[in-house]
């Protein structure tokens, strides 16, 4: 029995060690790529990166726009605080009690997308299957009243914020509606939520990560070009 437990512990240690070693090596490779990146060339490649992603893994976003152009896009996150999480846990617990524990409930935060098309900003929400369930359009008169501010990073995101020449940034975008404001958190990298996708981001190939950085910064650049009051610094030197 003791030998079996020891054997399991050793195997788990080897697996975890291998995982951290691979992650470390990939991060080193990414840092090297970012350090020697031709930023001007990446800026020129931004439209190509954006179009390719919208033709492949994000084709459902393009389909939702119909005939309207997608000038730029990025991931978006609704604000999700510790209080929000506590409310969801309490709500899920009550649901579980209602089924006498036969069903376990767990509220899941799903990806959202922001797409600039002409003068409008499209906000698309998805369900756990990845299907778009809500599509809100913010017209120019709404965006003229919108505002944006940088938000301090915390936790794992702050620890992993430096990628060679690139610094991870998080912005809070306030979008006015008739009933108040919709507040979205957006990174200058294609990330839904660092807590849930940050680990996956670190295991992507360096080229894929560079592509995600360029496309997300391109969104911020285009947003600032269309609405100067929403302009923020970008890590990529785009030119008008």
């Amino acid at each position: 029995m003791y030998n079996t437990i020891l054997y399991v512990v050793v195997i788990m240690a080897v697996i975890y060690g291998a995982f951290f070693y691979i992650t470390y090596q990939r991060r080193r490779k990414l840092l090297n790529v970012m350090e020697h990146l031709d930023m001007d060339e990446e800026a020129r490649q931004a439209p190509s990166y954006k179009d390719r992603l919208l033709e492949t893994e994000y084709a459902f976003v393009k389909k939702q726009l119909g005939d309207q152009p997608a000038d730029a896009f990025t991931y978006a996150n609704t604000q999700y605080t510790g209080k929000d999480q506590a409310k969801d846990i309490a709500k899920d617990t009550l649901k579980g009690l209602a089924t006498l524990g036969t069903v376990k409930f767990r509220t899941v935060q799903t990806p959202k997308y922001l797409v600039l098309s002409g003068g409008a900003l499209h906000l698309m929400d998805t369900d756990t299957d990845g299907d778009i369930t809500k599509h809100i359009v913010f017209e120019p008169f709404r965006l003229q009243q919108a505002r944006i501010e940088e938000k301090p990073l915390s936790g794992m995101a702050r620890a992993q914020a430096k990628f060679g020449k690139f610094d991870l940034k998080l912005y809070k975008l306030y979008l006015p509606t008739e009933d108040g404001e919709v507040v979205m958190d957006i990174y200058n990298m294609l990330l839904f939520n660092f807590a849930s996708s940050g680990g996956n981001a670190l295991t992507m190939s360096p080229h894929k990560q560079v592509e995600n950085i360029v496309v997300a910064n391109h969104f911020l650049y285009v947003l600032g070009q269309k609405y100067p009051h929403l302009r923020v610094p970008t890590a990529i030197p785009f030119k008008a």
Side-chain angles (χ1 to χ4, degrees):
M1 181 67 177
Y2 174 78
N3 288 338
T4 301
I5 294 174
L6 181 61
Y7 178 75
V8 171
V9 170
V10 170
I11 292 296
M12 293 301 295
V14 170
I15 292 173
Y16 278 111
F19 172 77
F20 284 116
Y21 176 76
I22 292 171
T23 301
Y24 171 73
Q25 289 298 326
R26 288 198 176 189
R27 180 167 174 77
R28 276 189 61 189
K29 190 173 182 179
L30 173 64
L31 290 174
N32 183 60
V33 168
M34 292 300 300
E35 197 63 42
H36 298 90
L37 206 61
D38 184 339
M39 292 295 196
D40 290 324
E41 177 59 24
E42 293 304 323
R44 287 190 288 271
Q45 290 295 325
S48 297
Y49 289 160
K50 179 259 299 179
D51 290 340
R52 190 190 68 77
L53 289 176
L54 288 173
E55 290 289 345
T56 54
E57 58 192 284
Y58 300 105
F60 60 93
V61 172
K62 183 178 179 181
K63 181 179 179 181
Q64 186 70 200
L65 287 174
D67 295 332
Q68 299 174 84
D71 300 324
F73 83 100
T74 195
Y75 271 109
N77 311 270
T78 52
Q79 285 190 303
Y80 194 66
T81 65
K83 285 185 177 180
D84 295 325
Q85 186 176 25
K87 287 179 182 178
D88 282 340
I89 291 173
K91 182 172 59 179
D92 294 340
T93 301
L94 288 174
K95 288 180 181 177
L97 289 173
T99 65
L100 300 179
T102 57
V103 180
K104 289 186 177 180
F105 294 89
R106 179 170 175 266
T107 300
V108 178
Q109 296 298 302
T110 55
K112 295 160 182 61
Y113 302 90
L114 289 173
V115 186
L116 283 163
S117 179
L121 178 65
H122 297 248
L123 170 60
M124 302 176 189
D125 199 357
T126 61
D127 59 19
T128 52
D129 294 322
D131 297 322
I132 294 176
T133 56
K134 188 182 295 183
H135 184 169
I136 303 171
V137 180
F138 294 88
E139 298 294 349
F141 80 94
R142 296 280 187 198
L143 295 176
Q144 293 290 355
Q145 306 168 49
R147 54 196 176 95
I148 192 170
E149 62 182 27
E150 186 175 347
K151 180 181 178 181
L153 293 168
S154 59
M156 193 195 320
R158 183 171 55 194
Q160 304 286 354
K162 187 73 175 175
F163 296 84
K165 294 180 181 178
F166 171 73
D167 290 328
L168 185 68
K169 301 286 186 182
L170 176 59
Y171 295 96
K172 195 188 300 286
L173 180 63
Y174 300 84
L175 300 168
T177 69
E178 291 180 359
D179 302 318
E181 286 183 320
V182 172
V183 185
M184 308 302 299
D185 286 346
I186 53 177
Y187 291 94
N188 62 343
M189 183 176 183
L190 289 184
L191 284 176
F192 157 51
N193 181 289
F194 199 92
S196 60
S197 61
N200 293 332
L202 293 177
T203 59
M204 290 178 187
S205 70
H207 174 74
K208 180 63 176 172
Q209 290 215 48
V210 169
E211 188 177 65
N212 287 349
I213 289 169
V214 173
V215 170
N217 275 270
H218 180 249
F219 172 86
L220 292 170
Y221 169 75
V222 175
L223 179 66
Q225 287 293 105
K226 292 178 181 290
Y227 298 97
H229 66 290
L230 298 177
R231 184 174 294 157
V232 296
T234 59
I236 311 296
F238 299 105
K239 296 176 183 177

